[in-house]
Amino acid sequence: VSVNGHADDCLLITVERCEQARLIAAMFGIVPIDGSIPAAQIKDYLERFRAGKIQALVATHILDDSADFPELSVMIQMGGHFASRRQEQQRLGRL
């Protein structure tokens, strides 16, 4: 995976809409996480992400409250604005 020169980074891209997540995932060959993914599959993806087996994820708000990524080195927010101050704090807390 190489997203704009971040080939060696643990990368999370956040988006607002499921369609955005799927489009970005398809364009860059990375794993999408949104509300249509079964909970067991999300858990597997997150475990593999934390272990370094998956290098990049693109996710909707589904990860705003429930995920902690101490290994995360780059976060890219797509969509132009945070929906709320709370969401902004949750997402920035991932870094």
Side-chain angles (χ1 to χ4, degrees), residues 6-13 48-57 69-76 94-95:
H6 294 287
D8 297 324
D9 293 319
C10 186
L11 175 73
L12 175 63
I13 301 172
R48 292 170 44 205
F49 184 65
R50 288 185 181 104
K53 295 176 183 175
I54 293 176
Q55 186 179 354
L57 297 173
F69 303 112
E71 58 283 315
L72 186 63
S73 54
V74 176
M75 186 175 90
I76 299 170
R94 304 290 159 247
L95 287 175

Side-chain angles (χ1 to χ4, degrees), residues 24-91:
I24 291 168
M27 288 176 63
F28 294 103
I30 59 179
V31 174
I33 295 182
D34 62 43
S36 70
I37 308 295
Q41 187 67 48
I42 291 173
K43 181 179 177 185
D44 177 62
Y45 287 156
L46 296 180
E47 287 173 0
R48 292 170 44 205
F49 184 65
R50 288 185 181 104
K53 295 176 183 175
I54 293 176
Q55 186 179 354
L57 297 173
V58 57
T60 61
H61 61 85
I62 197 164
L63 294 184
D64 285 354
D65 294 326
S66 61
D68 184 32
F69 303 112
E71 58 283 315
L72 186 63
S73 54
V74 176
M75 186 175 90
I76 299 170
Q77 178 184 329
M78 305 293 290
H81 70 282
F82 288 105
S84 69
R85 295 293 292 166
R86 180 180 172 281
Q87 184 181 43
E88 178 181 9
Q89 291 171 341
Q90 290 292 333
R91 287 186 174 177

